[in-house]
Amino acid sequence: TVGAGDASMAGLLASLWQAPQATPAQHLAAAVASGSAACGVAGAAIPPQATVAGLQADLLPAVQYSR
């Protein structure tokens, strides 16, 4: 999985930058969704934002529930 870790970090940083008021769970969901989406594309390509947003929406309830 080329770039999954880099994509996770980019998702976290983008979330912190674009939504500083978000909860830690929301930032974590953004990071995990970005890394997961990177695993679905060939090579070191940027995953589509719609894919990341969909994964983040799916992950957020699970992340919030684990508290």
Side-chain angles (χ1 to χ4, degrees):
T1 55
V2 175
D6 292 339
S8 293
M9 185 57 68
L12 175 61
L13 293 173
S15 181
L16 290 167
W17 180 262
Q18 295 172 353
Q21 75 287 354
T23 65
Q26 290 169 313
H27 293 309
L28 176 62
V32 172
S34 297
S36 298
C39 293
V41 295
I46 298 171
Q49 178 59 32
T51 302
V52 175
L55 288 169
Q56 186 173 357
D58 291 343
L59 288 167
L60 193 55
V63 171
Q64 289 176 332
Y65 180 73
S66 67
R67 288 181 133 198

Tab-separated table of all heavy atoms in Angstrom:
chain	number	residue	atom	x	y	z
A	1	THR	N	0.843	-1.183	0.000
A	1	THR	CA	0.000	0.000	0.000
A	1	THR	C	0.883	1.239	0.000
A	1	THR	O	1.289	1.737	1.039
A	1	THR	CB	-0.927	0.007	1.219
A	1	THR	OG1	-0.141	-0.109	2.395
A	1	THR	CG2	-1.939	-1.115	1.162
A	2	VAL	N	1.162	1.708	-1.172
A	2	VAL	CA	2.013	2.880	-1.317
A	2	VAL	C	1.265	4.118	-0.856
A	2	VAL	O	0.184	4.422	-1.349
A	2	VAL	CB	2.452	3.049	-2.787
A	2	VAL	CG1	3.233	4.341	-2.970
A	2	VAL	CG2	3.271	1.859	-3.230
A	3	GLY	N	1.797	4.802	0.125
A	3	GLY	CA	1.268	6.088	0.533
A	3	GLY	C	0.168	6.078	1.576
A	3	GLY	O	-0.368	7.132	1.889
A	4	ALA	N	-0.190	4.923	2.121
A	4	ALA	CA	-1.281	4.885	3.100
A	4	ALA	C	-0.937	5.697	4.350
A	4	ALA	O	-1.779	6.446	4.858
A	4	ALA	CB	-1.621	3.451	3.467
A	5	GLY	N	0.271	5.556	4.838
A	5	GLY	CA	0.687	6.329	6.013
A	5	GLY	C	0.773	7.809	5.718
A	5	GLY	O	0.349	8.643	6.532
A	6	ASP	N	1.308	8.132	4.549
A	6	ASP	CA	1.381	9.542	4.150
A	6	ASP	C	-0.016	10.137	4.003
A	6	ASP	O	-0.274	11.264	4.421
A	6	ASP	CB	2.130	9.685	2.827
A	6	ASP	CG	3.611	9.345	2.950
A	6	ASP	OD1	4.138	9.385	4.079
A	6	ASP	OD2	4.229	9.027	1.924
A	7	ALA	N	-0.934	9.367	3.414
A	7	ALA	CA	-2.303	9.842	3.239
A	7	ALA	C	-2.993	10.021	4.591
A	7	ALA	O	-3.765	10.971	4.774
A	7	ALA	CB	-3.098	8.877	2.360
A	8	SER	N	-2.715	9.117	5.534
A	8	SER	CA	-3.290	9.261	6.876
A	8	SER	C	-2.822	10.560	7.526
A	8	SER	O	-3.627	11.305	8.108
A	8	SER	CB	-2.904	8.080	7.767
A	8	SER	OG	-3.498	6.908	7.316
A	9	MET	N	-1.547	10.823	7.440
A	9	MET	CA	-1.009	12.051	8.024
A	9	MET	C	-1.575	13.275	7.311
A	9	MET	O	-1.935	14.273	7.965
A	9	MET	CB	0.517	12.049	7.950
A	9	MET	CG	1.150	13.234	8.646
A	9	MET	SD	0.712	13.411	10.396
A	9	MET	CE	1.512	12.004	11.091
A	10	ALA	N	-1.689	13.205	5.995
A	10	ALA	CA	-2.263	14.322	5.247
A	10	ALA	C	-3.715	14.552	5.637
A	10	ALA	O	-4.159	15.701	5.775
A	10	ALA	CB	-2.161	14.053	3.745
A	11	GLY	N	-4.465	13.468	5.836
A	11	GLY	CA	-5.859	13.604	6.260
A	11	GLY	C	-5.977	14.243	7.629
A	11	GLY	O	-6.855	15.085	7.864
A	12	LEU	N	-5.092	13.851	8.537
A	12	LEU	CA	-5.094	14.448	9.876
A	12	LEU	C	-4.765	15.932	9.801
A	12	LEU	O	-5.458	16.768	10.389
A	12	LEU	CB	-4.095	13.727	10.784
A	12	LEU	CG	-3.907	14.331	12.172
A	12	LEU	CD1	-5.213	14.313	12.962
A	12	LEU	CD2	-2.807	13.614	12.919
A	13	LEU	N	-3.707	16.262	9.081
A	13	LEU	CA	-3.297	17.664	8.982
A	13	LEU	C	-4.355	18.514	8.287
A	13	LEU	O	-4.626	19.642	8.704
A	13	LEU	CB	-1.954	17.773	8.267
A	13	LEU	CG	-0.766	17.188	9.034
A	13	LEU	CD1	0.489	17.200	8.166
A	13	LEU	CD2	-0.541	17.922	10.332
A	14	ALA	N	-4.957	17.971	7.228
A	14	ALA	CA	-6.018	18.708	6.530
A	14	ALA	C	-7.202	18.939	7.454
A	14	ALA	O	-7.790	20.026	7.466
A	14	ALA	CB	-6.455	17.947	5.280
A	15	SER	N	-7.553	17.940	8.237
A	15	SER	CA	-8.664	18.079	9.168
A	15	SER	C	-8.357	19.135	10.230
A	15	SER	O	-9.208	19.981	10.541
A	15	SER	CB	-8.968	16.727	9.831
A	15	SER	OG	-10.052	16.835	10.711
A	16	LEU	N	-7.163	19.082	10.778
A	16	LEU	CA	-6.771	20.073	11.780
A	16	LEU	C	-6.768	21.485	11.203
A	16	LEU	O	-7.151	22.447	11.875
A	16	LEU	CB	-5.394	19.737	12.354
A	16	LEU	CG	-5.326	18.503	13.248
A	16	LEU	CD1	-3.874	18.096	13.477
A	16	LEU	CD2	-6.027	18.757	14.576
A	17	TRP	N	-6.355	21.614	9.959
A	17	TRP	CA	-6.258	22.921	9.315
A	17	TRP	C	-7.640	23.442	8.909
A	17	TRP	O	-7.961	24.611	9.134
A	17	TRP	CB	-5.374	22.812	8.074
A	17	TRP	CG	-5.217	24.108	7.348
A	17	TRP	CD1	-5.918	24.521	6.255
A	17	TRP	CD2	-4.314	25.158	7.637
A	17	TRP	NE1	-5.511	25.760	5.853
A	17	TRP	CE2	-4.521	26.183	6.694
A	17	TRP	CE3	-3.354	25.349	8.624
A	17	TRP	CZ2	-3.799	27.368	6.700
A	17	TRP	CZ3	-2.629	26.534	8.613
A	17	TRP	CH2	-2.847	27.519	7.668
A	18	GLN	N	-8.465	22.575	8.313
A	18	GLN	CA	-9.746	23.007	7.771
A	18	GLN	C	-10.858	23.075	8.819
A	18	GLN	O	-11.824	23.811	8.638
A	18	GLN	CB	-10.178	22.076	6.634
A	18	GLN	CG	-9.251	22.146	5.451
A	18	GLN	CD	-9.551	21.092	4.397
A	18	GLN	OE1	-10.377	20.209	4.593
A	18	GLN	NE2	-8.852	21.181	3.278
A	19	ALA	N	-10.738	22.290	9.877
A	19	ALA	CA	-11.789	22.252	10.899
A	19	ALA	C	-11.171	22.189	12.298
A	19	ALA	O	-11.299	21.185	12.997
A	19	ALA	CB	-12.697	21.057	10.657
A	20	PRO	N	-10.492	23.246	12.718
A	20	PRO	CA	-9.817	23.200	14.024
A	20	PRO	C	-10.772	22.983	15.196
A	20	PRO	O	-10.362	22.522	16.251
A	20	PRO	CB	-9.106	24.555	14.122
A	20	PRO	CG	-9.773	25.431	13.134
A	20	PRO	CD	-10.317	24.532	12.055
A	21	GLN	N	-12.049	23.280	14.996
A	21	GLN	CA	-13.039	23.109	16.054
A	21	GLN	C	-13.545	21.671	16.155
A	21	GLN	O	-14.272	21.339	17.102
A	21	GLN	CB	-14.229	24.055	15.819
A	21	GLN	CG	-15.170	23.639	14.704
A	21	GLN	CD	-14.635	23.821	13.287
A	21	GLN	OE1	-13.562	24.363	13.057
A	21	GLN	NE2	-15.386	23.357	12.311
A	22	ALA	N	-13.164	20.809	15.235
A	22	ALA	CA	-13.632	19.418	15.235
A	22	ALA	C	-13.107	18.672	16.460
A	22	ALA	O	-12.093	19.046	17.052
A	22	ALA	CB	-13.185	18.717	13.964
A	23	THR	N	-13.808	17.613	16.794
A	23	THR	CA	-13.407	16.797	17.940
A	23	THR	C	-12.215	15.910	17.564
A	23	THR	O	-11.978	15.668	16.371
A	23	THR	CB	-14.563	15.897	18.395
A	23	THR	OG1	-14.844	14.954	17.357
A	23	THR	CG2	-15.810	16.712	18.722
A	24	PRO	N	-11.495	15.406	18.548
A	24	PRO	CA	-10.417	14.464	18.239
A	24	PRO	C	-10.928	13.246	17.454
A	24	PRO	O	-10.231	12.749	16.565
A	24	PRO	CB	-9.890	14.059	19.613
A	24	PRO	CG	-10.156	15.252	20.477
A	24	PRO	CD	-11.480	15.779	19.975
A	25	ALA	N	-12.129	12.782	17.748
A	25	ALA	CA	-12.691	11.639	17.016
A	25	ALA	C	-12.896	11.976	15.537
A	25	ALA	O	-12.656	11.137	14.668
A	25	ALA	CB	-14.008	11.204	17.644
A	26	GLN	N	-13.316	13.191	15.251
A	26	GLN	CA	-13.498	13.604	13.867
A	26	GLN	C	-12.157	13.694	13.139
A	26	GLN	O	-12.050	13.305	11.973
A	26	GLN	CB	-14.234	14.944	13.801
A	26	GLN	CG	-15.686	14.837	14.219
A	26	GLN	CD	-16.338	16.184	14.397
A	26	GLN	OE1	-15.781	17.093	15.034
A	26	GLN	NE2	-17.532	16.337	13.861
A	27	HIS	N	-11.136	14.204	13.820
A	27	HIS	CA	-9.805	14.265	13.210
A	27	HIS	C	-9.261	12.853	12.967
A	27	HIS	O	-8.668	12.583	11.921
A	27	HIS	CB	-8.841	15.052	14.106
A	27	HIS	CG	-9.153	16.505	14.228
A	27	HIS	ND1	-9.358	17.337	13.144
A	27	HIS	CD2	-9.291	17.292	15.323
A	27	HIS	CE1	-9.596	18.563	13.562
A	27	HIS	NE2	-9.566	18.558	14.885
A	28	LEU	N	-9.466	11.960	13.919
A	28	LEU	CA	-9.026	10.580	13.754
A	28	LEU	C	-9.747	9.916	12.592
A	28	LEU	O	-9.122	9.221	11.782
A	28	LEU	CB	-9.260	9.792	15.045
A	28	LEU	CG	-8.923	8.301	14.997
A	28	LEU	CD1	-7.443	8.088	14.703
A	28	LEU	CD2	-9.313	7.636	16.307
A	29	ALA	N	-11.039	10.125	12.481
A	29	ALA	CA	-11.800	9.545	11.373
A	29	ALA	C	-11.294	10.064	10.029
A	29	ALA	O	-11.201	9.306	9.061
A	29	ALA	CB	-13.286	9.838	11.532
A	30	ALA	N	-10.938	11.332	9.962
A	30	ALA	CA	-10.394	11.898	8.723
A	30	ALA	C	-9.068	11.235	8.364
A	30	ALA	O	-8.816	10.906	7.194
A	30	ALA	CB	-10.210	13.406	8.863
A	31	ALA	N	-8.227	11.018	9.354
A	31	ALA	CA	-6.932	10.377	9.107
A	31	ALA	C	-7.095	8.934	8.645
A	31	ALA	O	-6.474	8.508	7.661
A	31	ALA	CB	-6.072	10.430	10.371
A	32	VAL	N	-7.933	8.183	9.341
A	32	VAL	CA	-8.135	6.771	8.990
A	32	VAL	C	-8.801	6.651	7.624
A	32	VAL	O	-8.427	5.798	6.812
A	32	VAL	CB	-8.955	6.057	10.085
A	32	VAL	CG1	-9.335	4.652	9.653
A	32	VAL	CG2	-8.163	6.012	11.379
A	33	ALA	N	-9.777	7.499	7.350
A	33	ALA	CA	-10.454	7.460	6.051
A	33	ALA	C	-9.483	7.776	4.917
A	33	ALA	O	-9.510	7.130	3.866
A	33	ALA	CB	-11.615	8.444	6.042
A	34	SER	N	-8.617	8.738	5.120
A	34	SER	CA	-7.641	9.094	4.080
A	34	SER	C	-6.675	7.953	3.811
A	34	SER	O	-6.390	7.621	2.657
A	34	SER	CB	-6.870	10.349	4.489
A	34	SER	OG	-7.742	11.442	4.608
A	35	GLY	N	-6.168	7.331	4.856
A	35	GLY	CA	-5.268	6.195	4.686
A	35	GLY	C	-5.957	5.006	4.045
A	35	GLY	O	-5.387	4.332	3.176
A	36	SER	N	-7.186	4.754	4.449
A	36	SER	CA	-7.948	3.642	3.873
A	36	SER	C	-8.239	3.879	2.400
A	36	SER	O	-8.138	2.963	1.583
A	36	SER	CB	-9.264	3.457	4.628
A	36	SER	OG	-9.025	3.121	5.966
A	37	ALA	N	-8.602	5.094	2.059
A	37	ALA	CA	-8.891	5.420	0.660
A	37	ALA	C	-7.648	5.275	-0.205
A	37	ALA	O	-7.737	4.859	-1.373
A	37	ALA	CB	-9.452	6.832	0.556
A	38	ALA	N	-6.493	5.590	0.350
A	38	ALA	CA	-5.248	5.448	-0.408
A	38	ALA	C	-4.979	3.993	-0.769
A	38	ALA	O	-4.350	3.711	-1.791
A	38	ALA	CB	-4.076	6.020	0.386
A	39	CYS	N	-5.467	3.076	0.047
A	39	CYS	CA	-5.277	1.648	-0.243
A	39	CYS	C	-6.138	1.184	-1.401
A	39	CYS	O	-5.907	0.106	-1.953
A	39	CYS	CB	-5.608	0.810	0.998
A	39	CYS	SG	-4.450	1.059	2.348
A	40	GLY	N	-7.126	1.976	-1.769
A	40	GLY	CA	-8.031	1.589	-2.840
A	40	GLY	C	-7.646	2.104	-4.212
A	40	GLY	O	-8.364	1.858	-5.181
A	41	VAL	N	-6.549	2.845	-4.308
A	41	VAL	CA	-6.108	3.349	-5.607
A	41	VAL	C	-4.742	2.751	-5.938
A	41	VAL	O	-3.962	2.439	-5.042
A	41	VAL	CB	-6.042	4.898	-5.635
A	41	VAL	CG1	-7.424	5.492	-5.472
A	41	VAL	CG2	-5.123	5.445	-4.581
A	42	ALA	N	-4.502	2.589	-7.215
A	42	ALA	CA	-3.237	1.997	-7.655
A	42	ALA	C	-2.103	3.017	-7.563
A	42	ALA	O	-2.276	4.189	-7.906
A	42	ALA	CB	-3.368	1.507	-9.087
A	43	GLY	N	-0.970	2.563	-7.076
A	43	GLY	CA	0.212	3.416	-7.002
A	43	GLY	C	0.085	4.509	-5.968
A	43	GLY	O	-0.700	4.422	-5.035
A	44	ALA	N	0.854	5.544	-6.162
A	44	ALA	CA	0.878	6.656	-5.208
A	44	ALA	C	-0.028	7.778	-5.684
A	44	ALA	O	0.375	8.917	-5.819
A	44	ALA	CB	2.301	7.151	-5.030
A	45	ALA	N	-1.284	7.443	-5.949
A	45	ALA	CA	-2.253	8.423	-6.428
A	45	ALA	C	-3.070	8.973	-5.261
A	45	ALA	O	-3.231	8.314	-4.233
A	45	ALA	CB	-3.180	7.777	-7.449
A	46	ILE	N	-3.579	10.157	-5.438
A	46	ILE	CA	-4.429	10.773	-4.422
A	46	ILE	C	-5.830	10.192	-4.568
A	46	ILE	O	-6.407	10.219	-5.656
A	46	ILE	CB	-4.467	12.304	-4.592
A	46	ILE	CG1	-3.056	12.884	-4.406
A	46	ILE	CG2	-5.452	12.936	-3.629
A	46	ILE	CD1	-2.940	14.342	-4.757
A	47	PRO	N	-6.408	9.678	-3.490
A	47	PRO	CA	-7.760	9.128	-3.586
A	47	PRO	C	-8.787	10.239	-3.779
A	47	PRO	O	-8.582	11.363	-3.320
A	47	PRO	CB	-7.959	8.417	-2.250
A	47	PRO	CG	-6.987	9.034	-1.321
A	47	PRO	CD	-5.841	9.518	-2.151
A	48	PRO	N	-9.891	9.937	-4.452
A	48	PRO	CA	-10.925	10.951	-4.648
A	48	PRO	C	-11.497	11.434	-3.310
A	48	PRO	O	-11.699	10.644	-2.385
A	48	PRO	CB	-12.005	10.220	-5.451
A	48	PRO	CG	-11.324	9.024	-6.037
A	48	PRO	CD	-10.221	8.671	-5.098
A	49	GLN	N	-11.762	12.725	-3.219
A	49	GLN	CA	-12.304	13.307	-1.995
A	49	GLN	C	-13.641	12.671	-1.620
A	49	GLN	O	-13.937	12.483	-0.436
A	49	GLN	CB	-12.457	14.826	-2.146
A	49	GLN	CG	-13.053	15.506	-0.926
A	49	GLN	CD	-12.244	15.291	0.352
A	49	GLN	OE1	-11.029	15.169	0.318
A	49	GLN	NE2	-12.922	15.251	1.472
A	50	ALA	N	-14.447	12.332	-2.619
A	50	ALA	CA	-15.740	11.702	-2.333
A	50	ALA	C	-15.554	10.364	-1.627
A	50	ALA	O	-16.332	10.007	-0.738
A	50	ALA	CB	-16.533	11.523	-3.623
A	51	THR	N	-14.529	9.631	-2.009
A	51	THR	CA	-14.240	8.351	-1.363
A	51	THR	C	-13.831	8.568	0.088
A	51	THR	O	-14.300	7.876	0.990
A	51	THR	CB	-13.121	7.599	-2.114
A	51	THR	OG1	-13.529	7.403	-3.472
A	51	THR	CG2	-12.815	6.264	-1.478
A	52	VAL	N	-12.968	9.532	0.310
A	52	VAL	CA	-12.521	9.844	1.677
A	52	VAL	C	-13.714	10.288	2.523
A	52	VAL	O	-13.891	9.827	3.660
A	52	VAL	CB	-11.423	10.927	1.669
A	52	VAL	CG1	-11.047	11.333	3.087
A	52	VAL	CG2	-10.194	10.442	0.915
A	53	ALA	N	-14.554	11.161	1.988
A	53	ALA	CA	-15.710	11.661	2.737
A	53	ALA	C	-16.675	10.529	3.083
A	53	ALA	O	-17.213	10.478	4.191
A	53	ALA	CB	-16.425	12.744	1.939
A	54	GLY	N	-16.884	9.609	2.148
A	54	GLY	CA	-17.763	8.478	2.416
A	54	GLY	C	-17.226	7.567	3.495
A	54	GLY	O	-17.972	7.140	4.391
A	55	LEU	N	-15.939	7.276	3.432
A	55	LEU	CA	-15.324	6.452	4.470
A	55	LEU	C	-15.355	7.147	5.827
A	55	LEU	O	-15.614	6.524	6.855
A	55	LEU	CB	-13.878	6.114	4.090
A	55	LEU	CG	-13.698	5.115	2.966
A	55	LEU	CD1	-12.238	5.079	2.516
A	55	LEU	CD2	-14.153	3.732	3.422
A	56	GLN	N	-15.122	8.443	5.819
A	56	GLN	CA	-15.137	9.189	7.072
A	56	GLN	C	-16.534	9.151	7.698
A	56	GLN	O	-16.668	8.976	8.909
A	56	GLN	CB	-14.706	10.630	6.836
A	56	GLN	CG	-14.555	11.433	8.107
A	56	GLN	CD	-13.962	12.807	7.859
A	56	GLN	OE1	-13.619	13.146	6.734
A	56	GLN	NE2	-13.845	13.596	8.882
A	57	ALA	N	-17.557	9.291	6.888
A	57	ALA	CA	-18.925	9.227	7.408
A	57	ALA	C	-19.232	7.846	7.993
A	57	ALA	O	-19.927	7.731	9.001
A	57	ALA	CB	-19.918	9.569	6.304
A	58	ASP	N	-18.682	6.808	7.368
A	58	ASP	CA	-18.884	5.445	7.870
A	58	ASP	C	-18.105	5.202	9.162
A	58	ASP	O	-18.563	4.485	10.045
A	58	ASP	CB	-18.445	4.409	6.833
A	58	ASP	CG	-19.359	4.372	5.619
A	58	ASP	OD1	-20.489	4.896	5.698
A	58	ASP	OD2	-18.933	3.823	4.586
A	59	LEU	N	-16.924	5.788	9.262
A	59	LEU	CA	-16.051	5.548	10.411
A	59	LEU	C	-16.434	6.343	11.654
A	59	LEU	O	-16.251	5.875	12.770
A	59	LEU	CB	-14.608	5.907	10.058
A	59	LEU	CG	-13.882	4.968	9.122
A	59	LEU	CD1	-12.595	5.621	8.635
A	59	LEU	CD2	-13.577	3.675	9.837
A	60	LEU	N	-16.945	7.535	11.466
A	60	LEU	CA	-17.163	8.423	12.604
A	60	LEU	C	-18.053	7.821	13.685
A	60	LEU	O	-17.699	7.898	14.861
A	60	LEU	CB	-17.704	9.765	12.132
A	60	LEU	CG	-17.673	10.871	13.178
A	60	LEU	CD1	-16.263	11.051	13.751
A	60	LEU	CD2	-18.147	12.171	12.584
A	61	PRO	N	-19.175	7.195	13.347
A	61	PRO	CA	-19.966	6.596	14.438
A	61	PRO	C	-19.189	5.526	15.218
A	61	PRO	O	-19.305	5.447	16.436
A	61	PRO	CB	-21.163	5.968	13.719
A	61	PRO	CG	-21.264	6.735	12.441
A	61	PRO	CD	-19.845	7.089	12.080
A	62	ALA	N	-18.378	4.744	14.537
A	62	ALA	CA	-17.591	3.699	15.207
A	62	ALA	C	-16.528	4.316	16.120
A	62	ALA	O	-16.290	3.832	17.226
A	62	ALA	CB	-16.943	2.786	14.181
A	63	VAL	N	-15.899	5.387	15.667
A	63	VAL	CA	-14.867	6.043	16.463
A	63	VAL	C	-15.489	6.688	17.692
A	63	VAL	O	-14.969	6.577	18.793
A	63	VAL	CB	-14.095	7.075	15.626
A	63	VAL	CG1	-13.177	7.917	16.487
A	63	VAL	CG2	-13.312	6.399	14.514
A	64	GLN	N	-16.630	7.325	17.526
A	64	GLN	CA	-17.286	7.977	18.656
A	64	GLN	C	-17.811	6.939	19.653
A	64	GLN	O	-17.826	7.181	20.843
A	64	GLN	CB	-18.420	8.863	18.165
A	64	GLN	CG	-17.898	10.094	17.459
A	64	GLN	CD	-18.993	10.956	16.876
A	64	GLN	OE1	-20.060	10.493	16.533
A	64	GLN	NE2	-18.707	12.239	16.758
A	65	TYR	N	-18.256	5.805	19.155
A	65	TYR	CA	-18.791	4.755	20.014
A	65	TYR	C	-17.712	4.143	20.904
A	65	TYR	O	-17.981	3.716	22.015
A	65	TYR	CB	-19.448	3.664	19.176
A	65	TYR	CG	-20.024	2.538	19.992
A	65	TYR	CD1	-21.194	2.715	20.722
A	65	TYR	CD2	-19.386	1.302	20.058
A	65	TYR	CE1	-21.726	1.698	21.480
A	65	TYR	CE2	-19.913	0.270	20.819
A	65	TYR	CZ	-21.085	0.475	21.522
A	65	TYR	OH	-21.599	-0.540	22.288
A	66	SER	N	-16.472	4.131	20.440
A	66	SER	CA	-15.392	3.468	21.170
A	66	SER	C	-14.912	4.253	22.376
A	66	SER	O	-14.050	3.794	23.106
A	66	SER	CB	-14.208	3.203	20.226
A	66	SER	OG	-13.627	4.421	19.829
A	67	ARG	N	-15.431	5.400	22.623
A	67	ARG	CA	-15.003	6.225	23.754
A	67	ARG	C	-15.310	5.589	25.034
A	67	ARG	O	-15.964	5.043	25.616
A	67	ARG	CB	-15.647	7.598	23.705
A	67	ARG	CG	-15.048	8.426	22.606
A	67	ARG	CD	-15.686	9.771	22.606
A	67	ARG	NE	-14.608	10.708	22.512
A	67	ARG	CZ	-14.719	11.964	22.820
A	67	ARG	NH1	-15.837	12.430	23.299
A	67	ARG	NH2	-13.723	12.780	22.677
